[in-house]
Amino acid sequence: ILNVEQSPQSLHVQEGDSTNFTCSFPSSNFYALHWYRWETAKSPEALFVMTLNGDEKKKGRISATLNTKEGYSYLYIKGSQPEDSATYLCAFMEYGNKLVFGAGTILRVKS
Amino acid sequence: EAEVAQSPRYKITEKSQAVAFWCDPISGHATLYWYRQILGQGPELLVQFQDESVVDDSQLPKDRFSAERLKGVDSTLKIQPAELGDSAMYLCASSLTTYEQFFGPGTRLTVL
C-alpha cells in the first residue's frame, strides 16, 4: 500500500510570514508529484506537476522543489496572505496515472 | 474557463436510503475519475473511466456502490443503501493528458 505523508497537519501563521510544507512519498515507481490548493467550497486547483529529480517550480509567491531519490517535496509560500488560506494536497503519481493523495496541510493565515 | 460540474453540492440522507451524484467533465476529456475524501484523509480513487469503459474500480465497494458513464461524457455515482461510514466528500475529476486532472467542487454527503 502506497503511503504519502504530509506535514504539518495544520499551520497557523501571521500575514507576511513565510512558510513551508513537506510531502513524503515512495521513491520507487515514481512518475510525477502533484500539488493542489483546495479552498473551502471550491474545487481543488492544480499548482504544480513535477516530474524530474531536482525540479523547482514557481508560481508567484509559491514555489516547490522535488527530490525523487529520497522521496520528498517541499512547498514554500513567501509572504503569506489571507487568501493563501487553504488545504494544500500533494499527490504521488505512479506509472498508470493513479494519484495517491496525502491527507493535506491546512494553512490559516491571520491578517 | 471550462470546469468540471458536480451536483448536488450537498446531500443529507438517512442510512439505508439510495443516493446519486452527477458529474459533467470538461468537454473532450476522455478520462473521468471519482474520488472519496473522508474527513482527515486524502482523496481516494473509487473508479476511473476511459470513455465509457471502467479502467480501475479496485477500491469501489461494489456491494453498494455503482458508477456509470454510458455515453462516455457525464457520469453518475450511486450508493444503495447508504451507510453512516459513507459520509464524505465525493470528488469528480477529468483529464485530457496523462499528467493533469481537473477537479469539480465535490458533493458533501452526510448520512444520518
Side-chain angles (χ1 to χ4, degrees):
Chain A
I1 298 177
L2 293 176
N3 194 28
V4 178
E5 296 188 354
Q6 291 188 245
S7 62
Q9 193 171 26
S10 65
L11 201 53
H12 291 75
V13 301
Q14 291 292 327
E15 182 176 356
D17 288 349
S18 293
T19 186
N20 65 85
F21 323 134
T22 303
C23 174
S24 300
F25 53 86
S27 54
S28 59
N29 294 331
F30 178 85
Y31 192 67
L33 192 285
H34 297 239
W35 282 100
Y36 285 87
R37 174 171 58 198
W38 192 3
E39 296 178 63
T40 302
K42 294 187 178 180
S43 305
E45 170 199 1
L47 288 173
F48 305 115
V49 180
M50 308 178 79
T51 58
L52 299 175
N53 185 43
D55 246 358
E56 292 188 21
K57 300 259 184 176
K58 188 174 181 181
K59 183 185 288 188
R61 294 179 292 99
I62 305 176
S63 60
T65 61
L66 178 68
N67 184 323
T68 60
K69 292 184 179 179
E70 297 184 34
Y72 65 84
S73 175
Y74 294 137
L75 187 78
Y76 300 92
I77 302 179
K78 184 178 178 181
S80 302
Q81 300 296 309
E83 58 264 31
D84 295 328
S85 296
T87 297
Y88 290 82
L89 293 167
C90 74
F92 169 79
M93 176 179 269
E94 59 177 350
Y95 295 114
N97 305 349
K98 184 172 180 175
L99 284 178
V100 179
F101 283 86
T105 293
I106 300 170
L107 174 66
R108 293 292 175 258
V109 183
K110 298 179 185 177
S111 58
Chain B
E1 185 176 311
E3 295 178 342
V4 176
Q6 289 189 247
S7 66
R9 293 291 305 273
Y10 304 92
K11 179 70 178 179
I12 299 174
T13 191
E14 294 185 346
K15 63 180 181 179
S16 80
Q17 296 298 302
V19 292
F21 314 133
W22 177 80
C23 172
D24 190 12
I26 293 173
S27 178
H29 284 195
T31 311
L32 184 147
Y33 313 80
W34 283 101
Y35 290 87
R36 175 175 63 184
Q37 190 212 18
I38 296 170
L39 194 63
Q41 301 179 20
E44 176 191 35
L45 180 69
L46 291 176
V47 61
Q48 177 182 341
F49 289 93
Q50 183 67 30
D51 298 309
E52 65 273 12
S53 300
V54 173
V55 173
D56 184 350
D57 64 356
S58 56
Q59 299 305 309
L60 189 71
K62 298 181 187 65
D63 56 335
R64 297 184 299 106
F65 285 64
S66 63
E68 60 182 16
R69 195 184 182 197
L70 292 176
K71 297 183 179 178
V73 181
D74 58 341
S75 175
T76 303
L77 179 70
K78 297 179 181 177
I79 308 175
Q80 182 173 18
E83 296 181 353
L84 295 177
D86 297 331
S87 294
M89 175 73 83
Y90 290 83
L91 289 164
C92 178
S94 69
S95 68
L96 181 64
T97 68
T98 299
Y99 290 111
E100 201 165 11
Q101 295 184 19
F102 295 85
F103 283 83
T107 296
R108 169 76 67 187
L109 173 66
T110 302
V111 182
L112 303 176

